[in-house]
């Protein structure tokens, strides 16, 4: 039998010196990474974003966790697609598993979670859990404690007058959620573009060094070819930045 949510959160907060209030917050991936670090001590915590706010940041944390599992030959599949949605049940099941793994493998050695994080902020994103039900809950927030059926005893014209307002509230909630999602996608795009740009610069520098020495590296050439290749029919948009920023 797995521990309850309350027991798991108490253990997690004590072990990592954080202040999680919901199991859903584990969906950022940071807590899972540091639990494994408390066992093995080799997770690159400087790269783990404990106060991640966007899904692309969650995924980056889970990639670090996957690398840890791979390095220590842990065969447990990590359902990243489910966990990053910050649903309670999915994260509860995974947290229960990781707690059992910790019980079995933690050697009792001293562990300083704050020092391992090197002072990185750990404020937990409290907005994660409400995001999922916001689409359906906007009407209930507008109506206060009353439910849809609760309007029946009230006069007919009044009941009808609340429906347009409720519809507007729902649409506004959906729009806010879409804007948040769009912002996350834009940041994810910029995040990966920056990585590709760093790779491009490194490849260019290495090729220039090799050319100055009269040498060549086919692998570097292949990487550069991949970076500059485009799909058929794709047109590079007019650059809004200087030429070296496009590839």
């Amino acid at each position: 039998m797995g521990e309850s949510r309350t027991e798991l959160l108490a253990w997690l907060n004590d072990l990592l010196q954080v202040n999680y209030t919901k199991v859903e917050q584990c969906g950022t991936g940071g807590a899972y990474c540091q639990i494994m670090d408390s066992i093995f001590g080799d997770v690159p915590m400087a790269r783990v974003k404990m106060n991640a706010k966007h899904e692309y940041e969650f995924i980056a944390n889970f990639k670090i966790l996957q690398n840890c599992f791979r390095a220590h030959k842990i065969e447990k599949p990590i359902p990243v697609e489910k966990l990053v949605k910050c649903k309670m049940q999915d994260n509860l099941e995974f947290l229960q598993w990781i707690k059992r793994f910790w019980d079995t493998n933690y050697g009792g050695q001293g562990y300083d979670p704050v020092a391992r994080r090197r002072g990185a902020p750990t404020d937990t994103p409290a907005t994660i859990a409400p995001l999922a039900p916001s689409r359906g809950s906007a009407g209930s927030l507008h109506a206060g404690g009353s439910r849809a059926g609760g309007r029946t005893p009230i006069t007919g014209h009044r009941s009808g007058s609340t429906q347009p307002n409720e519809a507007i509230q729902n649409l506004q909630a959906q729009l806010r959620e879409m804007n948040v999602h769009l912002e996350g996608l834009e940041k994810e795009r910029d995040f990966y573009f920056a990585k590709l740009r760093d790779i491009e610069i490194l490849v260019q520098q290495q090729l220039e060094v090799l050319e100055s020495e009269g040498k060549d590296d086919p692998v570097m050439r292949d990487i550069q070819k991949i970076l500059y290749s485009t799909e058929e029919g794709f047109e590079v948009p007019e650059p809004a930045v200087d030429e070296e920023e496009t590839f």
Side-chain angles (χ1 to χ4, degrees), residues 6 15 31 43 77 83 115 117 123 127 163 184 210 216-217 245:
T6 303
L15 175 66
V43 176
L83 296 175
R117 292 194 293 265
D123 50 305
T127 56
Q163 292 177 358
L210 290 171
D216 194 18
D217 188 332
E245 284 297 311

Side-chain angles (χ1 to χ4, degrees), residues 56 184-196:
Y56 73 92
L185 289 175
E186 289 175 345
K187 290 190 176 183
E188 184 173 3
R189 176 202 61 194
D190 295 343
F191 174 77
Y192 287 110
F193 179 85
K195 285 186 176 293
L196 287 171

Side-chain angles (χ1 to χ4, degrees), residues 37-58:
D37 185 65
S38 73
I39 300 171
F40 300 112
D42 59 0
V43 176
M45 290 304 301
R47 291 170 47 204
V48 176
K49 192 156 187 179
M50 294 295 289
N51 64 336
K53 297 290 192 298
H54 302 284
E55 190 169 309
Y56 73 92
E57 294 173 320
F58 306 169

